[in-house]
Amino acid sequence: MSATNIGTVVPPDDIKPTDSGGQGPPALVNTQPASSTQSEPKKYQSLDPRSITVERIAWAIFGFVILSLAVVGSVISIFAAWPPNLIHRFILVGVFVIFGLMVWAIYVLTAAAHRHASWRIDESGLEIRRGIFWRREITIPRARVQHTDVRQGPLERRYGIASLVVHTAGTHAASITLSGLAVPIAHWLRDILISELKASGDAV
């Protein structure tokens, strides 16, 4: 059975959600390539920019919890051995340094991770690139796809993004997650990856 022809590029403008406020599965629009673009390479697509905000909020919540524990521990240590000595002063300075590094990481590294993350899909499967300092390229052949999930946490629902989880067979990783996708695009990718399984009746 031949693979579904998905076109040369996956432009976000070609993916239109159905009614119900864009929450339903997207309609597949204009997926046939023009004859003049048959030999063009597939282009990598960026993640949704709203994913930066979601990542920053999630890391800020985590960092606040860790920082709060560090501050409480430092205060208890200081009052337990009052008056404070030089070691306690170093501890307080360390807490402020950690706070500054945490703020820098939340605002700088999340944006950098977004810039260095991308994906593309063609007739052979899905390719994912990510990593700031150590780059990683992941290829998921369509023949290896067993089933897919589209997942949303509370923050993702609030900002209209989702994660696509691809469960594979015969690979070193049982599942691969592509986060930071707009909901219609996540549904579109899910439908593309399992199109052949649906046609053969093997979809899970």
Side-chain angles (χ1 to χ4, degrees), residues 30-202:
N30 190 25
T31 58
Q32 295 299 327
S35 58
S36 60
T37 61
Q38 289 283 354
S39 60
E40 291 182 5
K42 312 300 185 291
K43 295 181 180 179
Y44 278 92
Q45 306 294 316
S46 299
L47 301 178
D48 193 289
R50 291 172 294 182
S51 64
I52 302 177
T53 302
V54 172
E55 288 292 324
R56 283 175 174 170
I57 294 174
W59 279 108
I61 294 173
F62 175 78
F64 175 78
V65 173
I66 298 300
L67 188 63
S68 298
L69 293 175
V71 170
V72 171
S74 300
V75 171
I76 292 175
S77 175
I78 291 173
F79 279 97
W82 192 266
N85 53 36
L86 184 61
I87 295 178
H88 295 136
R89 293 188 178 93
F90 277 119
I91 291 175
L92 288 178
V93 171
V95 170
F96 284 106
V97 170
I98 291 174
F99 175 77
L101 291 175
M102 183 184 69
V103 172
W104 174 82
I106 289 174
Y107 282 92
V108 176
L109 291 185
T110 51
H114 178 271
R115 289 195 304 270
H116 289 84
S118 58
W119 60 271
R120 69 179 180 182
I121 189 169
D122 57 20
E123 290 79 2
S124 61
L126 177 66
E127 296 182 25
I128 302 171
R129 287 181 175 178
R130 55 192 174 199
I132 302 175
F133 304 107
W134 289 272
R135 300 287 290 156
R136 185 181 181 189
E137 295 187 8
I138 304 171
T139 301
I140 307 174
R142 293 177 65 181
R144 298 290 188 183
V145 176
Q146 289 195 320
H147 67 282
T148 62
D149 299 323
V150 174
R151 298 179 182 176
Q152 286 182 290
L155 283 175
E156 290 176 315
R157 288 197 301 271
R158 170 66 177 81
Y159 286 91
I161 63 174
S163 297
L164 176 71
V165 183
V166 183
H167 301 271
T168 59
T171 59
H172 70 284
S175 63
I176 297 171
T177 301
L178 176 59
S179 303
L181 298 171
V183 174
I185 295 181
H187 286 147
W188 188 86
L189 284 174
R190 176 198 62 188
D191 293 341
I192 287 295
L193 289 172
I194 66 173
S195 59
E196 291 187 358
L197 294 176
K198 288 182 177 179
S200 62
D202 294 332

